[in-house]
Amino acid sequence: MLNIVLFGPPGAGKGTQSEKLITKYHLVHLSTGDIFRANIKGATELGTLAKSYMDKGQLVPDEVTIRMLESEVNKNPSANGFIFDGFPRTKAQAAALDVLLKSKSTSITLMLALEVEEAELRKRLLLRGKDSGRPDDQNPEVIQKRIDVYNNETSPVKDFYTEQGKYKGINGIGEINEIFNLLCEKIEAAK
Ligand code: AMP
């Protein structure tokens, strides 16, 4: 199996690159943000809970997020592999993912991290907010909170994968196809 963690701050381009990677490598795309938004749209209990954190730019608690992710992985027993997009965002989530994959006799192949500086992220997110309909992309304070949460809580997840020799950083500024090619090079080298 090819299991990729696509990592990076909000606005780094994870969603865009995930779409291209799943087409090329026939992987199942699991975006925790997308799953939460689908639950909000469907007015589920999980959606109501997630919304109360997402609207403030905070992380949904680990216990809830991990349980949801596990259930999504379990729904795809014959997957070629997964792209985890927006997960793991804490070291506890990364550790839980390792345990889950191990129970399925597989593991993370590599973490691809899109690196984009903060000023560019703020610009991209506000621009995306104009047509994404995402409330968390439209409010500069919520955007800043998400970037701060990334720096304080999520960025340490890099160390988790660096220790396993799986961390690969990629410059996330440039042309979409150029960035995609860089990602593919790293994947080919890790396969
Ligand atoms: P995203 O679409 O990845 O930018 O996520 C949007 C929001 O969903 C985040 O700001 C968090 O509130 C929540 N979220 C998404 N993924 C996670 C996660 N792995 N852990 C906790 N909260 C998450």
Side-chain angles (χ1 to χ4, degrees):
M1 274 176 106
L2 176 62
N3 296 311
I4 298 169
V5 172
L6 191 57
F7 193 75
K14 300 187 294 292
T16 305
Q17 295 296 338
S18 289
E19 289 308 320
K20 295 175 76 65
L21 290 169
I22 53 172
T23 309
K24 176 158 173 155
Y25 292 103
H26 309 289
L27 303 171
V28 173
H29 180 205
L30 291 185
S31 156
T32 40
D34 283 354
I35 301 165
F36 285 137
R37 280 184 289 277
N39 275 276
I40 292 172
K41 215 170 160 197
T44 68
E45 211 174 299
L46 174 64
T48 307
L49 178 82
K51 189 174 172 3
S52 65
Y53 293 93
M54 291 166 79
D55 282 351
K56 289 184 253 167
Q58 296 170 350
L59 294 184
V60 177
D62 279 342
E63 200 193 306
V64 177
T65 306
I66 290 166
R67 203 177 332 118
M68 178 192 82
L69 191 277
E70 285 183 356
S71 119
E72 293 296 323
V73 169
N74 289 335
K75 279 183 200 165
N76 291 280
S78 50
N80 264 333
F82 294 92
I83 291 195
F84 298 99
D85 164 3
F87 185 96
R89 263 174 153 102
T90 62
K91 281 199 175 182
Q93 292 181 13
L97 182 59
D98 267 9
V99 171
L100 174 69
L101 294 179
K102 200 167 179 198
S103 77
K104 301 187 183 297
S105 308
T106 186
S107 60
I108 290 297
T109 314
L110 81 168
M111 168 192 258
L112 294 169
L114 292 167
E115 292 161 349
V116 178
E117 71 216 8
E118 276 193 36
E120 172 73 11
L121 296 173
R122 280 191 282 270
K123 203 170 79 189
R124 286 188 189 181
L125 289 168
L126 277 171
L127 199 67
R128 184 169 81 184
K130 288 192 177 146
D131 44 33
S132 71
R134 280 181 58 167
D136 59 348
D137 284 344
Q138 289 167 24
N139 178 330
E141 277 160 31
V142 175
I143 287 176
Q144 191 56 48
K145 174 71 184 169
R146 286 156 67 207
I147 293 173
D148 293 345
V149 165
Y150 173 81
N151 289 333
N152 297 329
E153 297 179 52
T154 302
S155 193
V157 175
K158 284 182 202 169
D159 302 338
F160 185 92
Y161 291 98
T162 303
E163 280 159 21
Q164 296 186 5
K166 293 176 178 174
Y167 174 84
K168 306 281 172 212
I170 287 113
N171 179 7
I173 300 187
E175 213 265 314
I176 289 174
N177 282 324
E178 269 169 28
I179 298 167
F180 177 63
N181 289 338
L182 291 174
L183 295 174
C184 293
E185 275 173 26
K186 301 283 186 202
I187 294 171
E188 295 303 327
K191 273 211 293 189

